[in-house]
Each structure stands twice: as C-alpha cells, then as structure tokens.
Amino acid sequence: MARKKIIAGNWKMNMTPSEAVTLIETLKPLVQNDEVDVVFCVPSIDIIPAVEATKGTNIVIGAQNMHYEEKGAFTGETSARMLVDAGVKYVIIGHSERREYFAVTDQTVNKSVLKAFEHGLIPIVCCGESLMQREQGITIGWVCQQIKIAFQNVPADQAKKAIIAYEPIWAIGTGKVATAEQAQEVCQALRHCISEIYDDATAEAIRIQYGGSVSADNAAELFAEPDIDGGLVGGASLKPDFGRIVNYNK
C-alpha cells in the first residue's frame, strides 16, 4: 500500500493567537487535499485557538516541542498530557533549532519520543547534518545515528506511526535546498536504517519528510522521489503559497 503524503507547516516563533486564527481562515480553503495529511505545528500559545479554528477541516494541529517528563518543576515547558488535552495530534521532536539553542540532545529526543507515544501523540522526529558534516561526507552515518538513538526502546508497531523529518541544517531558512537526488539519497538511507533497527515492513510503513526551504516551486519534484513522503515546511507555511505545496499533485 502506498504511503500517504504528510505535509506539515512548522510556524516556528511566528503568529500571535489572533494572527494564527486569521492565517488559518485564509489557508483553510487552500489546503484541501484528501490525498495528503495536513498538519500545522503552531506555537504553544496558539494551540487552543488553532484547534478551535480547524474543527471540521482536514487540518490537524501539532506542537513544536514537548517535555519528556509527565509533570513537574520545568518552568516554561509543556507536557504531553497538556498537548493531548488541548487537542494536539502531532509533536515535532528534536528540531535542529531546539538542539542548537535549547540543549536538546539525542538522548532527550529519545525520552520525548517514548513519552509522546505513551500519550498517543505522533512524533515528527527531526534529523539532519550541518554543512561541515555534509562536506566531510558523514551525512548518512550522522543522521542514522540520530535516528537509531531516537528510536531506542520504541516497539515496531509504534515506530510505524512515527514521522521522520530529514532537514539538512544548511538548507533551513537559507533559501538553499538539497537537490531532489540529495534528499532522496538520505531519505532512502534513513528507511534502510529503520529496516536495520526493525524490519522491512516497518521501514516501508514509516513516513519520511524532507524539510529545508521547501517551496511551491520545488515541492512536486521533491515529493515525486520514492522515499520522500511529504515535507516539513518552514517559512512557506505562513503564506497562501502553502496551499500550492499541499496541492503539489494537482
């Protein structure tokens, strides 16, 4: 069975609650596509109004971050239980910006993945290499290590539901984009990595996104690759053009 494409917008630290509702109203008619799962990953403060604004639509709401503890003295953090109660379905875990600025490690990514599944959330697990790592030729070893640690102690039936987002750090917000061939090479390697951890059936089931300057102009070419099952879209998800990305196949 063919994997259904999943296209998620990562709004990052953009949009006040009222601006979020306005943007959703603009995007609602533009992102209708039954062949694609559509996710808006919004700032925590926008989650509740965004869930309300998307009721009855094909859009589901995701979070951009989540703490791996159930509750406690973690000022400023959000728990899985809070996200579920607010109506969230997906959560981005281990985005390169969280790793770079907020001390997220491969080990805490693993704890968060386990906690997300414990509460029925679907993790979007990010991996990616820097420009230096790509130039040194260690990309595939690097991203496979990130994924192997992220999925430690995750059973195959849960792993199949996870999303992996391959985001070359050198292509995030830079306007540089990996060629379709470069993106496919790494996504194929990630699928092989999952087959090594689990088995071929799990590797075939898991969906792998590409992220890094995805636009309406390059989406169709990227998503045509056999191992790229959609995109994690940054800046372009805040504009009406996101509708063209979601409807890349029309």
Side-chain angles (χ1 to χ4, degrees):
M1 194 173 105
R3 293 179 297 272
K4 189 176 185 181
K5 292 283 194 279
I6 176 163
I7 299 175
N10 176 14
W11 290 13
K12 307 195 179 187
M13 195 176 72
N14 294 291
M15 299 289 146
T16 65
S18 57
E19 288 169 345
V21 172
T22 301
L23 179 60
I24 287 166
E25 292 304 326
T26 301
L27 290 175
K28 266 187 206 177
L30 305 177
V31 297
Q32 292 177 0
N33 186 346
D34 292 340
E35 295 170 38
V36 172
D37 286 334
V38 180
V39 185
F40 291 176
C41 295
V42 305
S44 292
I45 199 167
D46 296 347
I47 286 171
I48 289 172
V51 168
E52 280 300 311
T54 52
K55 277 185 177 167
T57 74
N58 64 316
I59 303 162
V60 296
I61 298 302
Q64 298 176 10
N65 183 43
M66 183 198 84
H67 200 277
Y68 52 82
E69 292 291 353
E70 194 70 18
K71 60 182 179 180
F74 303 102
T75 302
E77 289 294 323
T78 307
S79 72
R81 203 161 145 262
M82 292 172 188
L83 295 179
V84 170
D85 194 54
V88 166
K89 304 294 183 193
Y90 293 84
V91 57
I92 298 173
I93 294 176
H95 191 280
S96 61
E97 290 155 8
R98 298 295 311 173
R99 293 175 190 258
E100 183 178 355
Y101 304 129
F102 302 104
V104 167
T105 65
D106 289 338
Q107 288 71 28
T108 58
V109 166
N110 176 238
K111 289 180 181 180
S112 297
V113 169
L114 292 167
K115 183 57 69 173
F117 276 126
E118 186 184 321
H119 286 273
L121 290 164
I122 297 174
I124 299 174
V125 185
C126 297
C127 62
E129 84 283 13
S130 67
L131 186 58
M132 184 176 73
Q133 288 160 340
R134 175 160 280 275
E135 288 172 346
Q136 288 175 343
I138 62 171
T139 293
I140 286 170
W142 179 265
V143 296
C144 285
Q145 175 179 299
Q146 288 180 312
I147 290 305
K148 282 178 176 174
I149 297 171
F151 281 83
Q152 271 186 327
N153 301 316
V154 176
D157 62 328
Q158 290 182 344
K160 285 177 184 176
K161 298 172 189 168
I163 313 296
I164 293 174
Y166 165 57
E167 293 200 303
I169 297 165
W170 49 271
I172 297 174
T174 61
K176 292 180 180 176
V177 61
T179 65
E181 292 75 23
Q182 285 174 319
Q184 163 60 19
E185 179 190 21
V186 179
C187 291
Q188 183 181 48
L190 287 166
R191 201 173 301 285
H192 180 67
C193 178
I194 291 293
S195 73
E196 286 184 337
I197 301 169
Y198 299 103
D199 49 43
D200 289 347
T202 307
E204 277 304 306
I206 202 165
R207 293 187 287 180
I208 302 175
Q209 297 175 314
Y210 169 77
S213 299
V214 176
S215 69
D217 294 328
N218 60 32
E221 183 187 8
L222 286 164
F223 301 163
E225 294 292 339
D227 288 296
I228 300 178
D229 304 313
L232 184 58
V233 184
S237 69
L238 299 167
K239 303 169 188 168
D241 249 15
F242 189 55
R244 290 176 56 208
I245 296 174
V246 170
N247 286 286
Y248 73 96
N249 56 345
K250 295 181 179 175

